[in-house]
Amino acid sequence: MPQASFTPRSSAYLDALTQEIEKKLQRALASPSLRRNLLQELFTDIALEIDERAKDIILSPEDDAISPAEDCIYGQLCFHDVLADYYVWVPESGKRILDLIVQLWSQSFASHIFALLFHKWLFEVQLDNSEVLLRFSSALVQGATNVFWIDIQSNTRRFESLFLYLLEDVALEPTRLNKIPVQVQRDLYLLLSRFIFFYNSVDKLESFLRQFPVFPNAFLVGGPADFFVIELADQVEPVLLHYFSHIKVLQGMELRMATSTRLKTCLYSFTSPGGPMYPTRVVRHAAWDALDLLFPVGRYPRHLISLFFRLLYPWYWPSSCWNFVMDCIKAVLYSLLGLIYSSLEKLKKPKF
């Protein structure tokens, strides 16, 4: 990857910007009660798109210089894109910021900020301390996970430059990839597997799977394609469970008949095993809970109809019986534990 070039004017601007970032991190370190809000504000600031006035200052006018905007091929250049290049070009400028982030390591948004500002720096500098390298690379994967989820939740691709750097310049470049520990390499590949479709990088899939690292449990799970598909599937289930748990706020809301029927049909489609949705057992139960809460009328007939159709498919009987027995055992155990706990509480109470 070619290095970005900065003029004295753009360097002065980015130095001033670095000082502002440092001041906000210092304020966050000194104010525990305001720490989360300050870090969230800082994260929002560095994720902003650069306006035209700032672009005129930052972008190099020299014909032979490589602009820091070269990484941004989507018509959107954000502050973190330029700062990430700058901290590779002038590593000492980001050292104080990095030290402050390490002191705020356990706080919300600290890993987000680290991933945006230092994802290139991590692979371009030489870190001799293996513990520090493990900590930084793990924080990068965690921070990247968080910001990619923000893109999904907002249906934007503001952090696509970070994803493409990790995919094209790290995962597909063994020289950089081998700089981080093997376990983090595996975590990085699993992370990229989850979001590769979202960031429209399917053209890199074949190369990506060829470079997939070897996992210790590969003899049980399968090859790279198996790990890739499992990560995709695991990405879908948490989203569905999240939606089903929050959709209950619609209870009591007045909807038109067509809208109500559409919602009921959508939920009901996730209550049955097999096609076309092929939901997991956890998703099926969450869908039933949401459906019964939002549409209590006809609850028992629905369950009876569902049970009848389940009886038409004998291959589901063993798993259904097993799950029923396990649920009964768990219910009995929880009841016994609750009884024992309440008895102990009664014994602890002083007698007068």
Side-chain angles (χ1 to χ4, degrees):
M1 181 191 70
Q3 286 278 22
S5 177
F6 297 90
T7 63
R9 186 176 180 226
S10 63
S11 295
Y13 181 89
L14 293 173
D15 277 335
L17 195 59
T18 298
Q19 291 175 14
E20 291 300 317
I21 294 173
E22 184 179 333
K23 288 178 183 177
K24 185 156 285 190
L25 288 172
Q26 288 173 337
R27 285 179 58 200
L29 194 60
S31 307
S33 60
L34 301 174
R35 190 168 291 165
R36 189 183 189 282
N37 290 338
L38 289 170
L39 290 175
Q40 185 173 3
E41 288 175 10
L42 177 57
F43 168 72
T44 303
D45 290 342
I46 64 175
L48 287 174
E49 186 175 357
I50 300 177
D51 58 30
E52 293 301 322
R53 183 187 63 83
K55 279 184 183 179
D56 292 338
I57 299 173
I58 295 172
L59 303 188
S60 175
E62 301 171 13
D63 294 335
D64 59 343
I66 299 169
S67 167
E70 189 175 82
D71 289 328
C72 191
I73 59 176
Y74 331 102
Q76 177 176 277
L77 180 66
C78 300
F79 283 103
H80 65 83
D81 294 311
V82 179
L83 288 167
D85 280 329
Y86 187 61
Y87 295 147
V88 172
W89 187 254
V90 190
E92 59 273 13
S93 295
K95 187 176 185 305
R96 181 57 184 157
I97 290 178
L98 188 60
D99 292 340
L100 289 169
I101 290 176
V102 170
Q103 296 179 62
L104 296 164
W105 214 237
S106 61
Q107 304 300 313
S108 299
F109 296 100
S111 64
H112 303 52
I113 296 168
F114 174 81
L116 292 182
L117 295 182
F118 295 100
H119 61 275
K120 294 183 179 180
W121 170 89
L122 181 62
F123 295 99
E124 301 299 334
V125 301
Q126 184 65 38
L127 294 175
D128 297 324
N129 190 321
S130 58
E131 291 185 7
V132 172
L133 181 60
L134 176 61
R135 184 193 308 169
F136 284 172
S137 54
S138 299
L140 171 61
V141 173
Q142 181 60 51
T145 302
N146 294 333
V147 300
F148 294 159
W149 268 110
I150 291 174
D151 263 356
I152 283 187
Q153 291 165 356
S154 59
N155 196 27
T156 60
R157 288 173 175 78
R158 185 174 295 273
F159 306 111
E160 189 169 6
S161 60
L162 171 59
F163 178 85
L164 288 184
Y165 177 81
L166 294 176
L167 175 64
E168 298 175 358
D169 295 307
V170 178
L172 301 182
E173 289 289 337
T175 305
R176 288 196 182 92
L177 181 66
N178 292 331
K179 287 189 173 185
I180 59 178
V182 174
Q183 180 54 51
V184 183
Q185 292 180 25
R186 294 168 181 154
D187 293 339
L188 177 62
Y189 269 83
L190 295 178
L191 166 64
L192 297 174
S193 297
R194 295 176 210 136
F195 296 95
I196 196 168
F197 286 172
F198 178 76
Y199 287 111
N200 302 316
S201 299
V202 291
D203 57 316
K204 304 290 193 305
L205 183 57
E206 186 176 347
S207 302
F208 177 70
L209 293 177
R210 279 202 305 267
Q211 299 285 344
F212 221 82
V214 178
F215 283 74
N217 59 338
F219 69 98
L220 293 173
V221 177
D226 295 283
F227 280 96
F228 176 76
V229 171
I230 288 171
E231 286 302 310
L232 284 181
D234 288 346
Q235 184 82 338
V236 174
E237 183 176 298
V239 175
L240 288 173
L241 293 176
H242 180 77
Y243 270 84
F244 288 150
S245 65
H246 286 79
I247 204 171
K248 297 174 184 178
V249 299
L250 300 178
Q251 185 181 21
M253 190 176 294
E254 293 186 7
L255 300 174
R256 296 180 62 183
M257 180 63 70
T259 307
S260 178
T261 304
R262 183 174 181 177
L263 176 59
K264 188 186 299 184
T265 304
C266 176
L267 290 172
Y268 194 75
S269 66
F270 285 99
T271 61
S272 302
M277 297 300 183
Y278 294 95
T280 62
R281 184 170 181 269
V282 178
V283 171
R284 293 200 304 272
H285 280 256
W288 271 122
D289 291 342
L291 186 63
D292 292 341
L293 183 68
L294 296 177
F295 304 100
V297 177
R299 171 181 179 178
Y300 296 109
R302 281 198 303 265
H303 282 273
L304 285 174
I305 293 170
S306 175
L307 177 61
F308 172 75
F309 279 103
R310 289 291 293 273
L311 294 175
L312 296 179
Y313 300 94
W315 48 88
Y316 288 128
W317 294 356
S319 61
S320 296
C321 292
W322 172 256
N323 290 324
F324 177 75
V325 170
M326 293 304 295
D327 288 340
C328 290
I329 293 174
K330 287 179 182 178
V332 171
L333 287 176
Y334 289 149
S335 299
L336 289 174
L337 289 174
L339 185 62
I340 294 171
Y341 180 77
S342 60
S343 301
L344 291 174
E345 287 295 316
K346 290 179 181 178
L347 291 174
K348 289 180 181 179
K349 288 182 180 179
K351 296 180 180 180
F352 299 100

